[in-house]
Amino acid sequence: MKVYLIAGEPSGDKLGGALMEGLRQLDPDVTFQGVGGPLMQAQGMTSLFSMDELSVMGLAEVLPKLRGLFKRRDETVEDIIGSGADVVVTIDSPDFCLRVLRKLRGFTQVPTVHYVAPSVWAWRTKRTDRMQGIVDHVLALLPFEPQYMERAGLACDFVGHPVVAEPLATGAAASDFRHIHNIGDAPLVLALPGSRRGEVSRLSDVFGQSLQKLAMTRPEMRVVIPAAAPVAAMVQQQTQGWPGDPIVLDPRGLSQEVAIAEKRAAFAAADVALAASGTVSLELAANTVPMVIAYDMNWLSRKLIAAMLQVDTVTLVNLVSDTRTVPEFLGDACKPDDIARALDVALKPGPERAAQAAAAEITMELLGRGDEAPGLRAARVVTRVATGSPV
């Protein structure tokens, strides 16, 4: 079986890598082609171009890059046609991926799967309209999403979220991390300002100011910043003035195994996290790390998205657990004073911290912890769509 995959950002690369591993379990002779990052390349893909070119978020942020994205769309469509693929799997990044599929439909009826249901429950409720006639099947990460897809006439399977299948660092690894970095028993704050350059640029100042204010009541605290490789240099530069003697975990120059192990140990060792909105909240929940979510966009994107937002929270832990235990500060509310106060509360033993732990446990159960690995579940659906036979 020949599978063509497209991912446009690190979270999609993680999904793609797990899916490819699952496909190999089902069919050792499967071959891959497409666009992906290091995790997908480790599974045997040579990326058509750098995945980083597609890591653009926000309505206003996309506009200046449209010409380049259209060029990459055309190159991708041509590559798919020449690949002889049995199935095309697009992974998140709908603004790019759906454009590829729409143009592709003019040339071939190859089966198509879109991995990650669009967040129509959150905003842009008409996005399913763009999928009509070009997406044959949808893979959902969240248990409540299939109903939205099926209501729009799209076949959809909940396959679980890959975070539930990822190994967690041991207590010994967490202790070693603290010892190696001379942290001792100090409160350890994970700072996660995003994996895209635009996110890091917008959030670094407010994150730094929030930590400065937290340091007034927690002067002994330490700060660890796990950085994604594409923005690691930028993170090092932007965080130089931060309090807490910050430790930047830079994966560049490290093997994938070592970099992942170091990040997992940091998550296991952390007492609290300040994170950008996104899937990282699920990684934190998997490690039962209390968190505060903060996010902002440029002025135009902020206003447009605020007008379309359909939910009262964007944090996935809150949504999946159907609680509102994780405090979030978005857009105009992304203020250092309020963020620092929320971090201080989350560091204290008490009802807020206990409520976050309970919500994290509920979230992991609902996302499929203990079931078949999501990557393998997704692979079964992709194989079924490609061949017309259940696996």
Side-chain angles (χ1 to χ4, degrees):
M1 183 168 65
K2 297 179 180 179
V3 183
Y4 199 101
L5 305 102
I6 307 169
E9 54 189 317
S11 60
D13 183 43
K14 185 180 294 185
L15 289 169
L19 169 61
M20 292 165 74
E21 184 178 358
L23 287 166
R24 285 196 183 283
Q25 292 181 48
L26 299 178
D27 178 8
D29 296 323
V30 66
T31 60
F32 303 114
Q33 197 167 324
V35 180
L39 298 178
M40 293 170 69
Q41 292 173 41
Q43 292 293 331
M45 171 189 285
T46 299
S47 189
L48 179 63
F49 52 84
S50 174
M51 183 188 74
D52 298 340
E53 294 184 34
L54 306 181
S55 296
V56 185
M57 185 174 182
L59 302 175
E61 288 82 354
V62 170
L63 292 176
K65 299 181 180 293
L66 275 179
R67 177 176 290 184
L69 290 172
F70 282 136
K71 178 182 177 182
R72 290 305 193 191
R73 176 204 61 183
D74 295 345
E75 292 174 359
T76 304
V77 169
E78 183 178 350
D79 198 48
I80 294 171
I81 295 169
S83 71
D86 297 301
V87 62
V88 176
V89 182
T90 52
I91 307 172
D92 210 2
S93 302
D95 288 321
F96 179 78
C97 288
L98 295 184
R99 285 188 171 97
V100 168
L101 295 184
R102 183 160 300 283
K103 184 160 188 177
L104 182 68
R105 258 316 184 238
F107 299 95
T108 176
Q109 293 297 310
V110 60
T112 58
V113 177
H114 189 65
Y115 197 174
V116 183
S119 303
V120 294
W121 41 266
W123 69 299
R124 292 174 72 180
T125 57
K126 296 295 185 181
R127 276 187 294 180
T128 51
D129 294 347
R130 296 171 56 200
M131 302 170 73
Q132 300 289 345
I134 61 173
V135 173
D136 296 315
H137 210 96
V138 181
L139 304 180
L141 303 185
L142 306 177
F144 54 78
E145 290 180 318
Q147 61 178 314
Y148 289 94
M149 297 298 101
E150 291 164 1
R151 195 178 299 160
L154 295 163
C156 181
D157 279 283
F158 166 62
V159 295
H161 198 287
V163 71
V164 302
E166 293 175 2
L168 302 178
T170 63
S175 296
D176 288 345
F177 182 88
R178 283 179 170 267
H179 176 73
I180 290 168
H181 294 286
N182 196 30
I183 296 169
D185 295 328
L188 180 58
V189 182
L190 273 183
L192 299 145
S195 59
R196 305 178 183 91
R197 295 185 65 84
E199 290 175 331
V200 174
S201 176
R202 285 190 303 275
L203 296 176
S204 289
D205 283 348
V206 71
F207 274 38
Q209 292 171 33
S210 301
L211 294 172
Q212 289 282 5
K213 292 180 180 299
L214 180 63
M216 295 173 66
T217 57
R218 305 275 183 169
E220 74 282 16
M221 76 174 190
R222 297 294 305 279
V223 175
V224 173
I225 310 152
V231 295
M234 184 179 188
V235 167
Q236 287 180 326
Q237 181 180 16
Q238 298 270 12
T239 60
Q240 286 180 359
W242 284 16
D245 193 13
I247 302 160
V248 177
L249 302 185
D250 185 349
R252 296 173 302 170
L254 301 178
S255 70
Q256 180 180 312
E257 293 76 13
V258 169
I260 290 175
E262 187 175 43
K263 179 182 175 181
R264 286 175 178 157
F267 273 61
D271 294 300
V272 73
L274 171 58
S277 176
T279 56
V280 71
S281 69
L282 298 180
E283 294 182 64
L284 294 166
N287 287 272
T288 323
V289 180
M291 68 194 86
V292 174
I293 300 298
Y295 202 79
D296 200 4
M297 307 181 83
N298 76 32
W299 181 87
L300 178 58
S301 293
R302 183 197 304 171
K303 297 302 180 185
L304 290 172
I305 290 173
M308 293 185 283
L309 204 60
Q310 303 292 311
V311 290
D312 64 345
T313 178
V314 300
T315 301
L316 291 174
V317 175
N318 287 343
L319 288 163
V320 175
S321 66
D322 196 21
T323 68
R324 298 298 181 264
T325 59
V326 176
E328 58 184 24
F329 301 91
L330 312 175
D332 292 333
C334 191
K335 304 296 184 186
D337 285 331
D338 296 331
I339 294 169
R341 278 193 290 270
L343 285 169
D344 191 52
V345 170
L347 275 167
K348 297 174 182 175
E352 291 86 357
R353 192 175 175 91
Q356 285 216 38
E361 181 63 25
I362 293 169
T363 298
M364 291 301 106
E365 289 181 7
L366 291 176
L367 292 182
R369 178 179 277 172
D371 296 335
E372 187 174 62
L376 182 55
R377 293 171 67 179
R380 293 191 190 281
V381 179
V382 169
T383 301
R384 187 180 78 224
V385 172
T387 65
S389 302
V391 180

